[in-house]
Amino acid sequence: MSASTLVGSIPQEDLVDSPVISVRDLVHRYDDRAALNGVSFDVRPAELFGLLGPNGSGKTTLFRILSTLMVPVAGQAIILGHDAAKEPSQLRREIGVVFQAQSVDLKLTASENLQHQGHLYGLHGSALRARIKEILERVRLADRARDRAETFSGGMQRRLELAKGLLHGPRVLLLDEPTTGLDPGARRDLWQYLSILRDEEHVTVLVTTHLMEEAERCDRLAILNQGKLVALGTPTELKREIGGDVIVLEAKDPEALAMRIRARFGADVRVVGNQVRIEKDQAHRFVTNVVEAFPGEIDAVSIAKPSLEDVFIKRTGHRFWTEGARTSERTDNPRARKH
């Protein structure tokens, strides 16, 4: 049974009105550290939804809870009407999961990998053979059905992982850092295919990522930092909250420069790392005035349209990648080091 057939059996009003995934006040801890601290959001039907965050943000812990591999300390995750903690068996039949770690058996052919996957879901005989043919055509691997997976490129192996996750026709697909290790072309192909799943098969897709350019491709985002939800919305909505362009000034003494710019121009100035950051309309005019006011004190100037990185800085006060975020993965879940 195809994903489109499954979706076709759902009442139209349910597709429009009810969230497919509902996360409410999720809390999880490792010893005395909070990996998730009251996270809540909804994912809509046929939506490509992203969980964006640096290492240590809690996104992999959240992914494990949604995929029924972990029970939260508190809160609730409801997917397709099933409580992920209380009804894991029922939920696993209706979701597809693609983990960051490879699960493809490289010594088996593409068809053999899918045959074993199908048996796990009770598929057999001609129905399974037809479904394998259909799904391999969908991920553009039909001509390699009898080839061992070890002969595939990284992008092809990832598409085979997707085929395994989609074999049983799930209405929800969960992917954890799916483009890890892929070259830029394979990354682009994978995201194009996720868009096709959303648009043509009406599959709801939730994907974790730490890459800004991938997050831009999502319909909506939940941005996590240190276990908390710091932003939720479409990429355009989130960037719109930045007032004007983003000016970045580099100086030998950024704190002193920021203080003087505030005093002289009354601007809202923020020091992030060793940079002075200002959000301003008509940025080019403002930069000219600042450089003229403080000759010789500014080493470099850049002006750019707002990015998701700027949204993260505005909400958290620090850059997306910090030493704390990079090292915190060593103190996170001992079974899932990356978050």
Side-chain angles (χ1 to χ4, degrees), residues 287-305:
V287 163
T288 301
N289 294 335
V290 169
V291 171
E292 290 178 350
F294 308 110
E297 296 186 36
I298 300 171
D299 297 329
V301 177
S302 67
I303 301 174
K305 294 295 181 183

Side-chain angles (χ1 to χ4, degrees), residues 63-290:
F63 183 88
R64 283 177 164 264
I65 292 171
L66 294 176
S67 57
T68 75
L69 295 182
M70 187 178 290
V71 176
V73 170
Q76 195 176 42
I78 303 295
I79 304 177
L80 297 169
H82 298 294
D83 188 309
K86 297 178 180 179
E87 304 172 277
S89 297
Q90 297 94 315
L91 181 55
R92 288 169 190 167
R93 295 178 179 276
E94 299 197 49
I95 63 172
V97 183
V98 178
F99 295 101
Q100 184 178 350
Q102 180 173 279
S103 67
V104 169
D105 190 324
L106 298 178
K107 295 301 181 182
L108 298 181
T109 68
S111 289
E112 290 168 342
N113 269 282
L114 295 182
Q115 186 176 26
H116 284 289
Q117 182 76 3
H119 291 163
L120 295 176
Y121 286 93
L123 301 175
H124 298 280
S126 59
L128 176 56
R129 289 192 295 272
R131 181 61 179 161
I132 289 174
K133 180 180 179 181
E134 176 187 352
I135 203 69
L136 286 177
E137 289 174 350
R138 189 183 299 176
V139 298
R140 304 197 312 276
L141 288 176
D143 60 334
R144 303 294 298 272
R146 297 184 179 182
D147 294 343
R148 290 185 178 183
E150 65 185 356
T151 67
F152 292 180
S153 67
M156 293 170 66
Q157 290 179 8
R158 210 60 179 150
R159 295 210 303 272
L160 185 55
E161 295 272 10
L162 276 176
K164 289 180 63 177
L166 291 167
L167 186 66
H168 59 296
R171 290 152 51 187
V172 173
L173 182 64
L174 309 175
L175 304 101
D176 188 18
E177 306 270 2
T179 62
T180 297
L182 299 186
D183 61 52
R187 283 182 178 176
R188 183 178 60 252
D189 289 346
L190 187 143
W191 276 92
Q192 287 176 346
Y193 183 65
L194 294 182
S195 297
I196 291 172
L197 279 177
R198 174 199 61 195
D199 298 338
E200 299 182 8
E201 303 291 337
H202 307 294
V203 175
T204 300
V205 180
L206 181 144
V207 57
T208 73
T209 184
H210 61 267
L211 301 174
M212 298 289 181
E213 63 270 24
E214 291 189 352
E216 292 276 5
R217 294 174 175 264
C218 296
D219 298 322
R220 286 193 306 136
L221 293 170
I223 302 180
L224 300 175
N225 181 57
Q226 297 179 354
K228 296 182 179 180
L229 181 70
V230 297
L232 178 66
T234 70
T236 299
E237 288 171 347
L238 294 175
K239 290 184 290 185
R240 195 178 291 144
E241 74 179 42
I242 305 296
D245 295 328
V246 177
I247 303 166
V248 177
L249 307 175
E250 296 184 10
K252 295 180 177 62
D253 190 344
E255 292 286 355
L257 178 62
M259 188 179 301
R260 298 182 66 187
I261 292 174
R262 289 190 196 100
R264 176 72 176 268
F265 297 100
D268 183 10
V269 183
R270 183 188 300 241
V271 176
V272 180
N274 62 350
Q275 297 177 333
V276 177
R277 301 176 67 91
I278 308 166
E279 300 168 10
K280 199 74 174 174
D281 289 324
Q282 298 184 335
H284 289 82
R285 293 184 182 180
F286 183 76
V287 163
T288 301
N289 294 335
V290 169

Side-chain angles (χ1 to χ4, degrees), residues 43-64:
V43 180
R44 301 161 183 164
E47 184 171 45
L48 182 45
F49 189 91
L51 296 178
L52 174 66
N55 292 344
S57 63
K59 61 184 185 296
T60 295
T61 296
L62 178 52
F63 183 88
R64 283 177 164 264

